[in-house]
Amino acid sequence: MLLLAACQGGSLEQQREAAIAATNATLPAPYRDGLVTELARADGKDVVLDIRFAEARVAQLAAKPQLRDALQADEAQAMPELCGDAALKPFIAAGGSVRRRFIDANGELFFEVRLTPADCPHS
């Protein structure tokens, strides 16, 4: 894995920082269904994409756990689309993971989903 990162132009940390910088250059950006991707940042070894749903609150979704579970499952199925993202692809190829973190207007966590390199099809 280290050899792969070296061949692609740097350590995993360097790849992560490059992915964050490239992603943040395009943000904020609409995601879907009223959601906005606001920020890419590092959390541990992962790239985290903060996605805000300003029209809902955690308490509203907590009252409907089946809806939260369905949304989380839908997002988990959508994560492999990040495998082809130009800004994230080198980081993922070097062994990095990406999380989408869904938050409300107050920054409270709804849920998060994670993509690992194993979730991406090998070319």
Side-chain angles (χ1 to χ4, degrees), residues 99-118:
R99 288 184 276 154
R100 282 185 173 144
R101 187 172 192 271
F102 294 84
I103 56 177
D104 72 6
N106 299 320
E108 291 189 55
L109 179 65
F110 284 116
F111 61 86
E112 66 179 29
V113 290
R114 187 168 190 244
L115 176 86
T116 68

Side-chain angles (χ1 to χ4, degrees), residues 3-87:
L3 181 60
L4 179 60
C7 291
Q8 293 184 351
S11 69
L12 184 60
E13 184 176 317
Q14 290 169 325
Q15 293 286 351
R16 184 190 66 212
E17 295 308 312
I20 289 168
T23 301
N24 278 331
T26 67
L27 300 179
Y31 175 54
R32 64 180 185 177
D33 300 328
L35 302 171
V36 175
T37 304
E38 291 189 336
L39 177 70
R41 60 186 174 82
D43 185 17
K45 294 181 180 180
D46 292 352
V47 169
V48 176
L49 303 173
D50 285 338
I51 301 173
R52 188 172 305 270
F53 189 12
E55 301 302 318
R57 300 292 180 270
V58 168
Q60 292 171 315
L61 205 52
K64 299 177 182 179
Q66 69 283 6
L67 178 59
R68 183 189 62 89
D69 292 347
L71 290 170
Q72 190 168 358
D74 183 55
E75 288 302 329
Q77 289 180 355
M79 288 298 283
E81 70 191 26
L82 294 175
C83 298
D85 183 280

